[in-house]
Amino acid sequence: MITDLVGWWRALWGRNEQQSAGQMALRRIPQLIDFETPSDEAICLHEAGHACAALVVGLIPEFVEFVDEEGAKGRARNRIPVGDTQQRLIVASAAYAVEYNLFMAHRLTNASCVVIDEKTFIHLAIGQNAALDKIQFFGEDREGADKMWPANDDRTFMAAGQRIAGSLPMGLVFALAEAMLNERRLERARILEIAEPSLK
């Protein structure tokens, strides 16, 4: 029984088997984040942005999780109530807001750990990461035959994210991201447990 409990504990917290016995290795969000690949850390921060914004505007996510299924759209997903128009716009643009904050702090890198420039950031954040977020934001898919969104839509989406970037509680974003990084799936009760100190 003790062996089973130890095995469960190690799996839950992502124990690094190369460490000596008794030491736990919880994964942390590093100072520099591989945004190009993207790393698990970048993915967690994206999803945590949505979840954090939802909590701030009074919506409670049902879950956020990594996706390991073949053929899935993206490597992570969430289930968050849609809310009213204002809530929907904030939640949809919040992941970009988090990424914008990290870019402005020079924390986003390419796969070689070189800090990315603005053109690369916009290409990755808006051209790739925000594909589903823009559909949620505008309420429809506006991608053209060239696989590009209208430039004005992209500018509108970026402006919305930049407006809320300064008011997002980044401490909560990081707490949710690190929990997701270690636990792979956060359900409603766990999200509320993590958020409780920040939302008092």
Side-chain angles (χ1 to χ4, degrees):
M1 173 146 175
I2 296 295
T3 304
D4 290 341
L5 285 173
V6 170
W8 173 83
W9 182 261
R10 284 179 179 170
L12 178 64
W13 293 105
R15 178 176 167 78
N16 181 343
E17 293 297 339
Q18 295 176 358
Q19 286 194 323
S20 61
Q23 290 182 321
M24 298 300 293
L26 293 181
R27 293 175 68 188
R28 305 294 305 234
I29 302 295
Q31 179 62 30
L32 296 178
I33 299 151
D34 175 3
F35 195 58
E36 182 181 54
T37 304
S39 63
D40 284 354
E41 292 82 359
I43 291 166
C44 288
L45 286 160
H46 183 99
E47 292 304 324
H50 290 308
C52 176
L55 291 163
V56 167
V57 299
L59 302 173
I60 302 174
E62 291 182 37
F63 66 81
V64 294
E65 67 179 356
F66 277 100
V67 179
D68 300 317
E69 303 159 9
E70 226 176 277
K73 291 183 178 179
R75 290 177 49 201
R77 66 182 163 211
N78 63 58
R79 183 171 298 144
I80 296 172
V82 175
D84 62 29
T85 301
Q86 189 62 25
Q87 290 169 319
R88 175 176 56 83
L89 297 177
I90 290 170
V91 172
S93 60
Y96 169 74
V98 168
E99 293 166 354
Y100 176 77
N101 282 340
L102 295 168
F103 170 72
M104 294 303 290
H106 308 289
R107 294 186 63 179
L108 300 181
T109 73
N110 63 20
S112 301
C113 291
V114 175
V115 173
I116 60 175
D117 60 23
E118 184 176 22
K119 182 179 178 182
T120 304
F121 169 68
I122 292 171
H123 171 71
L124 295 172
I126 300 302
Q128 294 180 17
N129 297 358
L132 296 175
D133 299 341
K134 289 188 291 186
I135 294 170
Q136 183 72 19
F137 185 89
F138 289 103
E140 62 181 336
D141 189 346
R142 298 182 180 179
E143 184 180 83
D146 60 356
K147 302 294 183 190
M148 302 285 287
W149 276 65
N152 194 51
D153 286 350
D154 283 346
R155 284 191 291 271
T156 299
F157 181 81
M158 287 191 290
Q162 290 170 18
R163 272 195 304 274
I164 65 169
S167 58
L168 273 179
M170 290 297 287
L172 176 53
V173 170
F174 276 92
L176 290 166
E178 288 188 345
M180 182 181 171
L181 186 63
N182 286 287
E183 299 170 39
R184 306 292 291 178
R185 177 181 169 98
L186 304 178
E187 297 197 14
R188 179 187 172 103
R190 179 70 174 121
I191 291 168
L192 288 172
E193 177 188 8
I194 295 163
E196 195 266 337
S198 300
L199 299 178
K200 284 183 177 178

